[in-house]
Amino acid sequence: MKIILRSILLLFVILSACDPKKGALYKQRQLEKQQTPAVEINEDEEYVMVTTIVNFPMYVNHDQAAFQRWGRARGVKTSILGPSEWDVQAQIATIEQVIGTRPTGLLINGTDPAIAGAINKAVEAGIPTVVYDSDIPNSERHAFLGTDWYQIGKLQGEAMVELIGGKGKVAYMGILGMTNMEAGFQGLLDVLKNYPEIEVVGKYDDGSDVEEAARITSDLLSAHPDLAGICGFDAMSGPGIGLSIKEAGKAGKVKVTTVDWEPEHIKLVQEGVIDVLIGQKRELFTWYGAQFLFDMVHDTNPLSSNDDKAGITNIPYSVNTGLLKITQDNIHLFMEDHS
């Protein structure tokens, strides 16, 4: 009888040892999984941003600040390169130089369709490449993050209609010929065309220059003393429009909507010169753009046993990062330092 009991006990011990969820090896592996970082960072990982007008305050305060914060949060190197002027050829040259250094990932400000060739060289070299701000649809970039410019125009149009009560003379300005800005212009016009008592008196090219935007505004105020509103579409439109509106003593009388929310724009809203700002969520461009590169490099979310062979990437192809609207009602929320 004792022999039988000993045999049963031994069998129980053996079976317990064989249970994969009770064995020491299983427990050790579980502990190792808990201690192993989700992603192993290579100390040599370097993600490079290539833009143009590299010292442009809007880029520095939003795009570049978010990119650098992302790098610190992930424990990887980040570098920012590009010409100091709006020089597309110099940006192309910078991209091609960077390709030779074999960066871990390349984050490119989509400035002009002409940079498509350089983007394609980076992709062909096997470098994860993401475009932000304006898409370069004729390129082979892996992903794009940016704003729907048609929506920017639409929101400005809706705001202007409300500000002027659906009637009066309206003008608009920006950089003519740029794909994204022309889409914004169309969004504006598609709203205004529904209001027969609104007259569009002109479309103007300020060349993203404050002085030129101010000159155009001054001329408009002289030619149309009854001008009801002006819409601005580039970063310099608002400050230029505001300068002339203030000089003419028309603050609050001529309604103004424009894009971006730099300190000078915020100040003009506080002063009652600009009524509505439509802002891009630029921080999201580069934070998530960099994260997309990281996810490609680290194969964070594989979609197959071999995504390369399957001809797919494990990141979104295109992302609309959305917009924000700033008026005197909520401006205090955007005056805090988020750096």
Side-chain angles (χ1 to χ4, degrees), residues 61-62 65 69 261 283 332-339:
N61 297 334
H62 298 274
R69 277 194 291 111
W261 47 296
E283 283 78 357
H332 61 286
L333 299 174
F334 296 92
M335 296 174 65
E336 299 173 3
D337 182 4
H338 295 286
S339 63

Side-chain angles (χ1 to χ4, degrees), residues 57-110:
M58 185 172 73
Y59 293 167
V60 173
N61 297 334
H62 298 274
D63 309 9
Q64 296 171 19
F67 180 58
Q68 290 169 326
R69 277 194 291 111
W70 175 84
R72 290 193 293 272
R74 291 291 173 274
V76 299
K77 298 175 185 174
T78 55
S79 300
I80 300 166
L81 302 172
S84 58
E85 305 293 333
W86 182 273
D87 187 336
V88 173
Q89 290 305 314
Q91 185 188 14
I92 292 171
T94 303
I95 294 170
E96 292 182 343
Q97 289 168 4
V98 170
I99 291 170
T101 68
R102 303 292 305 176
T104 306
L106 196 48
L107 187 59
I108 297 175
N109 187 350

Side-chain angles (χ1 to χ4, degrees), residues 49-327:
M49 171 191 288
V50 180
T51 183
T52 188
I53 325 181
V54 70
N55 298 319
F56 187 43
M58 185 172 73
Y59 293 167
V60 173
N61 297 334
H62 298 274
D63 309 9
Q64 296 171 19
F67 180 58
Q68 290 169 326
R69 277 194 291 111
W70 175 84
R72 290 193 293 272
R74 291 291 173 274
V76 299
K77 298 175 185 174
T78 55
S79 300
I80 300 166
L81 302 172
S84 58
E85 305 293 333
W86 182 273
D87 187 336
V88 173
Q89 290 305 314
Q91 185 188 14
I92 292 171
T94 303
I95 294 170
E96 292 182 343
Q97 289 168 4
V98 170
I99 291 170
T101 68
R102 303 292 305 176
T104 306
L106 196 48
L107 187 59
I108 297 175
N109 187 350
T111 53
D112 189 283
I115 68 175
I119 291 171
N120 292 346
K121 288 180 183 178
V123 173
E124 289 165 8
I127 299 170
T129 303
V130 169
V131 171
Y132 70 92
D133 202 353
S134 294
D135 197 5
I136 308 297
N138 58 333
S139 74
E140 299 296 326
R141 89 291 190 281
H142 292 109
F144 163 71
L145 303 92
T147 302
D148 181 343
W149 272 81
Y150 180 85
Q151 190 67 14
I152 287 180
K154 189 167 178 282
L155 290 178
Q156 284 209 63
E158 292 170 350
M160 182 57 71
V161 167
E162 185 175 348
L163 287 167
I164 64 176
K167 59 183 179 181
K169 294 180 178 178
V170 174
Y172 61 101
M173 67 181 73
I175 305 173
L176 306 193
M178 284 191 70
T179 304
N180 56 358
M181 225 156 283
E182 292 291 343
F185 297 154
Q186 191 59 53
L188 171 72
L189 296 177
D190 283 351
V191 172
L192 299 186
K193 71 182 182 184
N194 296 315
Y195 296 86
E197 293 186 77
I198 291 179
E199 178 188 354
V200 178
V201 298
K203 169 184 179 180
Y204 300 91
D205 190 347
D206 64 25
S208 194
D209 181 274
V210 172
E211 293 183 2
E212 182 63 6
R215 185 195 65 75
I216 293 169
T217 302
S218 180
D219 289 349
L220 279 166
L221 295 175
S222 297
H224 304 280
D226 57 344
L227 190 70
I230 307 177
C231 304
F233 280 84
D234 64 63
M236 298 296 111
S237 300
I241 294 169
L243 182 63
S244 284
I245 293 274
K246 288 172 69 175
E247 288 180 353
K250 293 274 190 177
K253 299 174 182 173
V254 176
K255 303 300 182 183
V256 180
T257 68
T258 187
V259 299
D260 298 327
W261 47 296
E262 294 307 291
E264 56 268 40
H265 298 78
I266 296 289
K267 186 170 184 292
L268 288 166
V269 173
Q270 288 179 294
E271 294 174 349
V273 178
I274 292 178
D275 299 275
V276 174
L277 297 176
I278 303 299
Q280 298 172 289
K281 299 175 182 175
R282 301 193 66 90
E283 283 78 357
L284 305 191
F285 294 172
T286 53
W287 178 284
Y288 288 106
Q291 186 61 41
F292 283 0
L293 294 170
F294 186 90
D295 287 341
M296 283 188 70
V297 171
H298 292 278
D299 205 18
T300 305
N301 294 298
L303 303 173
S304 69
S305 59
N306 190 323
D307 286 352
D308 285 341
K309 284 189 177 179
I312 55 178
T313 56
N314 62 336
I315 58 174
Y317 181 72
S318 180
V319 175
N320 178 354
T321 48
L323 299 166
L324 51 89
K325 181 179 178 181
I326 301 175
T327 67

